Amino acid sequence: MKDKEKRAIAILIVITIIVIIIAIARGVGNKKEKVEENTDVTPNEEFVQILDDGTKLNTSEDLKKMKTIDGMEITNIQLTEKGNATLLLGNITNPTDTTRGGFIASVKVVDKQGNEITTIDAIIGEIKPGESQQFSTSATFDYANAYDFEITKK
């Protein structure tokens, strides 16, 4: 081979290496942008964990604490959101010696500063002494990042 041919091949090799490096750099940059987009799903949602199926699960310890209404206890509280529908669930137990419930309750959902996010109604069915039933209320908007809630008889 002549010197000119060797030089031309060397230049082609260098250009090929540069093109490959640029292509790899762009691919890595695009992957970083996609990851950043996906992690920005819950901006400023301190009390939210995203599950594999996209469901938002509230993680606030205060929200999970036992609540009482009319002598009854609400425990095992869980707040989730999926598809812009938020569901507040729990077990409501009547530890008293008389039948309780049979009324509408007001559920005031608050943020960490105690500001009201929303207030929702919930129906508390009649519960005999020592019995339990599921407590639930829902809304068609996302309040999964709530800090706590208060429940009162309406």
Short mmCIF file of all heavy atoms in Angstrom, two decimals, residues 62-99:
data_model
loop_
_atom_site.label_atom_id
_atom_site.label_comp_id
_atom_site.label_asym_id
_atom_site.label_seq_id
_atom_site.Cartn_x
_atom_site.Cartn_y
_atom_site.Cartn_z
N ASP A 62 -49.27 9.00 59.85
CA ASP A 62 -50.40 9.61 60.55
C ASP A 62 -51.73 9.21 59.93
O ASP A 62 -52.71 8.99 60.64
CB ASP A 62 -50.26 11.13 60.57
CG ASP A 62 -49.30 11.63 61.63
OD1 ASP A 62 -48.38 10.85 61.99
OD2 ASP A 62 -49.45 12.76 62.10
N LEU A 63 -51.77 9.11 58.62
CA LEU A 63 -52.99 8.70 57.96
C LEU A 63 -53.39 7.27 58.37
O LEU A 63 -54.56 6.96 58.51
CB LEU A 63 -52.82 8.78 56.44
CG LEU A 63 -54.08 8.48 55.65
CD1 LEU A 63 -54.35 9.60 54.66
CD2 LEU A 63 -53.98 7.16 54.92
N LYS A 64 -52.40 6.42 58.60
CA LYS A 64 -52.66 5.01 58.93
C LYS A 64 -53.07 4.79 60.39
O LYS A 64 -53.54 3.71 60.73
CB LYS A 64 -51.40 4.17 58.65
CG LYS A 64 -51.02 4.12 57.19
CD LYS A 64 -49.73 3.36 57.01
CE LYS A 64 -49.24 3.42 55.59
NZ LYS A 64 -47.95 2.72 55.44
N LYS A 65 -52.88 5.81 61.25
CA LYS A 65 -53.22 5.64 62.66
C LYS A 65 -54.72 5.45 62.86
O LYS A 65 -55.53 6.00 62.10
CB LYS A 65 -52.76 6.87 63.46
CG LYS A 65 -51.27 6.97 63.60
CD LYS A 65 -50.89 8.21 64.40
CE LYS A 65 -49.39 8.35 64.51
NZ LYS A 65 -48.99 9.61 65.14
N MET A 66 -55.08 4.70 63.90
CA MET A 66 -56.48 4.42 64.20
C MET A 66 -57.27 5.72 64.38
O MET A 66 -56.79 6.66 65.01
CB MET A 66 -56.59 3.58 65.48
CG MET A 66 -58.03 3.22 65.82
SD MET A 66 -58.17 2.31 67.36
CE MET A 66 -57.89 3.59 68.54
N LYS A 67 -58.45 5.76 63.80
CA LYS A 67 -59.37 6.88 63.95
C LYS A 67 -60.61 6.37 64.69
O LYS A 67 -60.93 5.18 64.61
CB LYS A 67 -59.80 7.43 62.58
CG LYS A 67 -58.67 7.75 61.61
CD LYS A 67 -57.82 8.91 62.04
CE LYS A 67 -56.85 9.37 61.00
NZ LYS A 67 -55.60 8.66 60.92
N THR A 68 -61.30 7.25 65.41
CA THR A 68 -62.53 6.86 66.10
C THR A 68 -63.67 7.76 65.67
O THR A 68 -63.47 8.95 65.38
CB THR A 68 -62.36 6.94 67.63
OG1 THR A 68 -62.02 8.27 67.99
CG2 THR A 68 -61.30 5.97 68.12
N ILE A 69 -64.86 7.18 65.64
CA ILE A 69 -66.08 7.93 65.35
C ILE A 69 -67.24 7.22 66.06
O ILE A 69 -67.41 6.01 65.92
CB ILE A 69 -66.34 8.06 63.83
CG1 ILE A 69 -67.59 8.91 63.60
CG2 ILE A 69 -66.39 6.71 63.13
CD1 ILE A 69 -67.78 9.36 62.16
N ASP A 70 -67.97 7.96 66.86
CA ASP A 70 -69.15 7.45 67.57
C ASP A 70 -68.82 6.18 68.36
O ASP A 70 -69.61 5.23 68.36
CB ASP A 70 -70.29 7.22 66.57
CG ASP A 70 -71.63 7.04 67.25
OD1 ASP A 70 -71.88 7.69 68.29
OD2 ASP A 70 -72.44 6.23 66.75
N GLY A 71 -67.64 6.14 68.96
CA GLY A 71 -67.24 4.99 69.76
C GLY A 71 -66.68 3.82 68.95
O GLY A 71 -66.27 2.81 69.52
N MET A 72 -66.66 3.94 67.63
CA MET A 72 -66.14 2.88 66.76
C MET A 72 -64.70 3.21 66.35
O MET A 72 -64.30 4.37 66.35
CB MET A 72 -67.03 2.71 65.53
CG MET A 72 -68.44 2.26 65.89
SD MET A 72 -69.52 2.06 64.46
CE MET A 72 -69.76 3.77 63.99
N GLU A 73 -63.95 2.17 65.98
CA GLU A 73 -62.54 2.33 65.63
C GLU A 73 -62.31 1.95 64.18
O GLU A 73 -62.77 0.90 63.72
CB GLU A 73 -61.69 1.43 66.53
CG GLU A 73 -61.84 1.73 68.00
CD GLU A 73 -61.18 0.70 68.89
OE1 GLU A 73 -60.86 -0.42 68.41
OE2 GLU A 73 -60.97 1.02 70.07
N ILE A 74 -61.58 2.83 63.47
CA ILE A 74 -61.20 2.53 62.09
C ILE A 74 -59.71 2.22 62.10
O ILE A 74 -58.89 3.03 62.53
CB ILE A 74 -61.49 3.72 61.15
CG1 ILE A 74 -62.97 4.10 61.22
CG2 ILE A 74 -61.09 3.37 59.71
CD1 ILE A 74 -63.32 5.36 60.46
N THR A 75 -59.35 1.02 61.62
CA THR A 75 -57.96 0.56 61.59
C THR A 75 -57.63 0.00 60.19
O THR A 75 -58.50 -0.07 59.33
CB THR A 75 -57.73 -0.54 62.64
OG1 THR A 75 -58.64 -1.62 62.38
CG2 THR A 75 -57.94 -0.01 64.06
N ASN A 76 -56.38 -0.42 60.02
CA ASN A 76 -55.92 -0.97 58.74
C ASN A 76 -56.25 -0.03 57.58
O ASN A 76 -56.76 -0.46 56.53
CB ASN A 76 -56.49 -2.36 58.48
CG ASN A 76 -56.10 -3.35 59.53
OD1 ASN A 76 -54.97 -3.35 60.00
ND2 ASN A 76 -57.03 -4.19 59.95
N ILE A 77 -55.96 1.22 57.76
CA ILE A 77 -56.32 2.26 56.80
C ILE A 77 -55.33 2.27 55.64
O ILE A 77 -54.12 2.18 55.83
CB ILE A 77 -56.36 3.63 57.50
CG1 ILE A 77 -57.42 3.62 58.61
CG2 ILE A 77 -56.61 4.75 56.49
CD1 ILE A 77 -57.33 4.77 59.58
N GLN A 78 -55.88 2.38 54.44
CA GLN A 78 -55.07 2.42 53.22
C GLN A 78 -55.68 3.42 52.26
O GLN A 78 -56.89 3.44 52.04
CB GLN A 78 -55.02 1.03 52.58
CG GLN A 78 -54.11 0.94 51.40
CD GLN A 78 -54.05 -0.48 50.84
OE1 GLN A 78 -55.00 -1.24 50.93
NE2 GLN A 78 -52.93 -0.82 50.25
N LEU A 79 -54.82 4.26 51.66
CA LEU A 79 -55.25 5.24 50.69
C LEU A 79 -54.50 5.00 49.38
O LEU A 79 -53.27 4.98 49.38
CB LEU A 79 -54.97 6.67 51.20
CG LEU A 79 -55.33 7.83 50.28
CD1 LEU A 79 -56.83 7.89 50.04
CD2 LEU A 79 -54.84 9.15 50.86
N THR A 80 -55.22 4.77 48.29
CA THR A 80 -54.61 4.51 46.99
C THR A 80 -55.28 5.36 45.91
O THR A 80 -56.42 5.80 46.07
CB THR A 80 -54.72 3.03 46.59
OG1 THR A 80 -56.11 2.67 46.53
CG2 THR A 80 -54.00 2.12 47.56
N GLU A 81 -54.53 5.54 44.82
CA GLU A 81 -55.07 6.25 43.66
C GLU A 81 -54.61 5.55 42.40
O GLU A 81 -53.46 5.15 42.28
CB GLU A 81 -54.58 7.70 43.64
CG GLU A 81 -55.19 8.54 42.52
CD GLU A 81 -54.51 8.40 41.16
OE1 GLU A 81 -53.34 7.99 41.12
OE2 GLU A 81 -55.16 8.68 40.14
N LYS A 82 -55.54 5.36 41.49
CA LYS A 82 -55.20 4.83 40.16
C LYS A 82 -56.24 5.34 39.17
O LYS A 82 -57.43 5.29 39.45
CB LYS A 82 -55.17 3.30 40.17
CG LYS A 82 -54.70 2.76 38.82
CD LYS A 82 -54.42 1.30 38.85
CE LYS A 82 -53.86 0.88 37.51
NZ LYS A 82 -53.58 -0.52 37.45
N GLY A 83 -55.78 5.82 38.04
CA GLY A 83 -56.69 6.29 37.01
C GLY A 83 -57.56 7.44 37.46
O GLY A 83 -58.72 7.53 37.11
N ASN A 84 -57.00 8.33 38.28
CA ASN A 84 -57.69 9.51 38.81
C ASN A 84 -58.87 9.15 39.70
O ASN A 84 -59.80 9.93 39.86
CB ASN A 84 -58.13 10.44 37.68
CG ASN A 84 -58.07 11.89 38.10
OD1 ASN A 84 -57.25 12.27 38.93
ND2 ASN A 84 -58.92 12.72 37.54
N ALA A 85 -58.85 7.97 40.29
CA ALA A 85 -59.84 7.57 41.30
C ALA A 85 -59.09 7.22 42.58
O ALA A 85 -58.22 6.37 42.58
CB ALA A 85 -60.65 6.37 40.82
N THR A 86 -59.42 7.94 43.65
CA THR A 86 -58.74 7.73 44.92
C THR A 86 -59.69 6.99 45.86
O THR A 86 -60.87 7.32 45.95
CB THR A 86 -58.33 9.09 45.53
OG1 THR A 86 -57.56 9.80 44.55
CG2 THR A 86 -57.48 8.89 46.77
N LEU A 87 -59.14 5.99 46.54
CA LEU A 87 -59.94 5.13 47.41
C LEU A 87 -59.33 5.09 48.80
O LEU A 87 -58.15 4.79 48.96
CB LEU A 87 -59.99 3.71 46.81
CG LEU A 87 -60.77 2.64 47.57
CD1 LEU A 87 -62.25 3.01 47.67
CD2 LEU A 87 -60.62 1.30 46.87
N LEU A 88 -60.16 5.39 49.80
CA LEU A 88 -59.76 5.32 51.21
C LEU A 88 -60.47 4.12 51.82
O LEU A 88 -61.71 4.06 51.81
CB LEU A 88 -60.15 6.61 51.93
CG LEU A 88 -59.84 6.71 53.41
CD1 LEU A 88 -58.34 6.65 53.67
CD2 LEU A 88 -60.42 7.99 54.00
N LEU A 89 -59.70 3.16 52.30
CA LEU A 89 -60.24 1.92 52.86
C LEU A 89 -59.78 1.73 54.29
O LEU A 89 -58.73 2.22 54.69
CB LEU A 89 -59.75 0.70 52.07
CG LEU A 89 -60.20 0.53 50.64
CD1 LEU A 89 -59.46 -0.64 50.00
CD2 LEU A 89 -61.69 0.29 50.58
N GLY A 90 -60.55 0.96 55.04
CA GLY A 90 -60.16 0.58 56.40
C GLY A 90 -61.15 -0.43 56.95
O GLY A 90 -62.13 -0.79 56.29
N ASN A 91 -60.89 -0.90 58.15
CA ASN A 91 -61.83 -1.77 58.87
C ASN A 91 -62.43 -0.94 59.98
O ASN A 91 -61.70 -0.30 60.73
CB ASN A 91 -61.11 -2.98 59.48
CG ASN A 91 -60.56 -3.90 58.42
OD1 ASN A 91 -61.11 -4.03 57.34
ND2 ASN A 91 -59.44 -4.53 58.73
N ILE A 92 -63.76 -0.95 60.09
CA ILE A 92 -64.42 -0.23 61.17
C ILE A 92 -65.04 -1.26 62.12
O ILE A 92 -65.76 -2.16 61.69
CB ILE A 92 -65.45 0.80 60.65
CG1 ILE A 92 -66.01 1.65 61.79
CG2 ILE A 92 -66.53 0.16 59.82
CD1 ILE A 92 -66.70 2.92 61.34
N THR A 93 -64.69 -1.13 63.39
CA THR A 93 -65.11 -2.10 64.41
C THR A 93 -65.90 -1.37 65.49
O THR A 93 -65.57 -0.25 65.87
CB THR A 93 -63.87 -2.76 65.04
OG1 THR A 93 -63.11 -3.37 64.00
CG2 THR A 93 -64.25 -3.82 66.05
N ASN A 94 -66.92 -2.06 65.99
CA ASN A 94 -67.73 -1.53 67.08
C ASN A 94 -67.38 -2.27 68.37
O ASN A 94 -67.89 -3.35 68.61
CB ASN A 94 -69.22 -1.68 66.77
CG ASN A 94 -70.11 -1.16 67.87
OD1 ASN A 94 -69.64 -0.63 68.87
ND2 ASN A 94 -71.41 -1.30 67.69
N PRO A 95 -66.50 -1.69 69.21
CA PRO A 95 -66.12 -2.36 70.45
C PRO A 95 -67.10 -2.09 71.60
O PRO A 95 -66.89 -2.57 72.71
CB PRO A 95 -64.74 -1.76 70.75
CG PRO A 95 -64.82 -0.38 70.21
CD PRO A 95 -65.72 -0.47 68.99
N THR A 96 -68.16 -1.33 71.35
CA THR A 96 -69.11 -0.98 72.41
C THR A 96 -70.12 -2.12 72.61
O THR A 96 -70.10 -3.11 71.89
CB THR A 96 -69.86 0.32 72.07
OG1 THR A 96 -70.78 0.08 70.99
CG2 THR A 96 -68.89 1.44 71.69
N ASP A 97 -71.05 -1.92 73.55
CA ASP A 97 -72.06 -2.94 73.82
C ASP A 97 -73.42 -2.59 73.21
O ASP A 97 -74.43 -3.20 73.53
CB ASP A 97 -72.19 -3.18 75.32
CG ASP A 97 -72.53 -1.92 76.10
OD1 ASP A 97 -72.65 -0.85 75.47
OD2 ASP A 97 -72.68 -2.00 77.33
N THR A 98 -73.42 -1.57 72.31
CA THR A 98 -74.66 -1.21 71.61
C THR A 98 -74.40 -1.10 70.11
O THR A 98 -73.27 -0.83 69.69
CB THR A 98 -75.22 0.15 72.11
OG1 THR A 98 -74.25 1.16 71.87
CG2 THR A 98 -75.57 0.10 73.60
N THR A 99 -75.44 -1.29 69.33
CA THR A 99 -75.32 -1.14 67.88
C THR A 99 -75.03 0.33 67.56
O THR A 99 -75.66 1.23 68.10
CB THR A 99 -76.62 -1.60 67.18
OG1 THR A 99 -76.82 -2.98 67.47
CG2 THR A 99 -76.54 -1.41 65.67
#
